[in-house]
Amino acid sequence: MKTKLIRTGKLIDGKEVLAIELTNSLGTYVKIYNYGAIINKFIVTNKQGEKQDIVLGFDDIDQYTNESYLTNYPYFGAVIGRYANRVKNGRFTIDGQTYQLSQAKGGDCLHGGDIGFDRKMWDVLSTIDPSVTLQYVSEDGEEHFPGKLTVQLTFKLTDENELILDYKAETDQATAINLTHHSYFNLAPQGGSIAAHKHRMPASNYLEQDDNYVVTGKLIPVEGTHHDFLAEKEIGKDWDLNEGYDQSYVLDKQYGEFTLASETREENSGLKLSVYTTEPVAHFYTAKYLDVKGGKEGKDYHSFGGFCVETQHHPNAINIPAFPSTILRPGEHYKQTTIYKIEHHS
């Protein structure tokens, strides 16, 4: 079990991009950049005994800042903040004060604004085998959010093939916060469509969205709909061929309880990815908008070529009082734990 720090020589915002490599006793290998806290590689051993990378991304750090990539930007493997998903009209009010965020296509704020935590340089605070703690300080007014927010994220790789993400945050002024991670997974040895992956989510309800994918506040039972993943099924079994899935599922749990969010299996690799979280919601996205040229080993990535399980609080909760609060105040401590666990399935 070890942690290795590698200098890339690439500078962003005057800081050098570092690669942090985590390796466990099973030979599982995770590579993380301090740019965007990006999970660049997640290499595991499949049932054939082959090494297999289960996350989408690039071979070279330069490709993550390429203009063509950012034009149709899928947030490969990055942390999302200060506020995940969409905020209606890019606007919210705290203690009588209204804040106007930047607005993306459709007029809503997406994934923290024009340049969110996914494109920031994080400081490497510590490396303790086999883990790394990154920190980013978001200044008051960044992307028009109030308060200076200090965020720490620790990645730890265990000998149980768990990649643990522990988030902590504090603020000096009441602010809105909803963090998540945006890794795209594909468990098939050769990649391609994830339609045949088998997926299960212990979620009896999903959140209604308007025409621009913004959560409205209404819960809809999954029973009798194509959104029902209470029992395992192939991802492509019931989906809309044009849309796939891009929904927030409310997990069946007590608020704050650490439980399973999803299980996904693939037959050819024999791999199973289980996601566990303290968060109340898992947003399931099957990459409808994915269109990236020249990914790892020169592969092009297309629609439905990966899936994301984005653990978080209810999207747009800052504007929906009935949802669990996403307001963080001075003296309070934001905490979240999400685990990606890889196993072989029978």
Side-chain angles (χ1 to χ4, degrees), residues 216-260:
T216 65
K218 181 180 178 183
L219 273 69
I220 301 176
V222 300
E223 186 178 0
T225 76
H226 70 281
H227 296 289
D228 190 346
F229 282 98
L230 287 168
E232 182 187 77
K233 67 177 179 181
E234 289 191 354
I235 291 175
K237 181 175 184 290
D238 299 322
W239 70 3
D240 181 311
L241 285 173
N242 296 313
E243 289 291 323
Y245 292 97
D246 194 357
Q247 270 78 32
S248 292
Y249 287 79
V250 181
L251 301 173
D252 296 337
K253 63 191 291 186
Q254 295 293 316
Y255 180 72
E257 186 183 3
F258 182 75
T259 60
L260 182 74

Side-chain angles (χ1 to χ4, degrees), residues 14-34:
K15 295 182 178 181
E16 185 177 14
V17 178
L18 302 172
I20 304 97
E21 298 181 321
L22 309 179
T23 310
N24 70 10
S25 63
L26 301 174
T28 298
Y29 166 88
V30 176
K31 182 179 176 183
I32 298 154
Y33 287 122
N34 65 329

Side-chain angles (χ1 to χ4, degrees), residues 286-301:
T286 54
K288 169 189 174 180
Y289 295 106
L290 187 59
D291 181 17
V292 172
K293 301 289 189 291
K296 291 177 181 176
E297 299 178 344
K299 288 181 182 175
D300 295 340
Y301 297 125

Side-chain angles (χ1 to χ4, degrees), residues 66-128:
N66 184 288
E67 276 305 315
S68 63
Y69 169 65
L70 295 175
T71 300
N72 186 32
Y73 181 42
Y75 301 86
F76 271 166
V79 165
I80 304 298
R82 186 176 298 195
Y83 208 93
N85 214 297
R86 291 162 177 83
V87 177
K88 185 65 179 173
N89 297 321
R91 190 179 303 128
F92 63 87
T93 301
I94 297 178
D95 299 337
Q97 175 75 40
T98 298
Y99 300 92
Q100 180 63 59
L101 311 175
S102 59
Q103 294 165 287
K105 183 180 177 182
D108 305 305
C109 184
L110 175 64
H111 286 337
D114 292 334
I115 301 180
F117 293 1
D118 53 286
R119 291 171 62 191
K120 299 294 187 182
M121 287 297 297
W122 292 59
D123 295 319
V124 178
L125 281 194
S126 66
T127 54
I128 303 171

Side-chain angles (χ1 to χ4, degrees), residues 40 44 46 49 51 53 64 84 99 109 136 139 225 231 236 240 251-252 275 286 295 302 310 319 342:
N40 168 247
V44 301
N46 64 24
K51 294 293 185 183
D53 195 345
Y64 286 96
Y99 300 92
C109 184
Y136 178 65
E139 297 294 344
T225 76
D240 181 311
L251 301 173
D252 296 337
V275 181
T286 54
H302 303 292
E310 304 162 52
N319 289 313
I342 287 288

Side-chain angles (χ1 to χ4, degrees), residues 6 8 18-22 29-33 38-43 55 58-61 64 163:
I6 299 171
T8 69
L18 302 172
I20 304 97
E21 298 181 321
L22 309 179
Y29 166 88
V30 176
K31 182 179 176 183
I32 298 154
Y33 287 122
I38 289 171
I39 296 175
N40 168 247
K41 292 183 179 180
F42 195 155
I43 297 175
V55 295
F58 297 108
D59 292 325
D60 194 295
I61 180 62
Y64 286 96
L163 181 61

Side-chain angles (χ1 to χ4, degrees), residues 147-160:
K148 179 180 178 180
L149 183 74
T150 301
V151 181
Q152 292 183 2
L153 172 55
T154 298
F155 295 89
K156 181 178 181 181
L157 182 63
T158 74
D159 276 340
E160 285 71 48

Side-chain angles (χ1 to χ4, degrees), residues 306-325:
F307 68 93
C308 305
V309 180
E310 304 162 52
T311 54
Q312 59 193 273
H313 270 54
H314 302 53
N316 198 35
I318 193 68
N319 289 313
I320 303 171
F323 284 169
S325 176

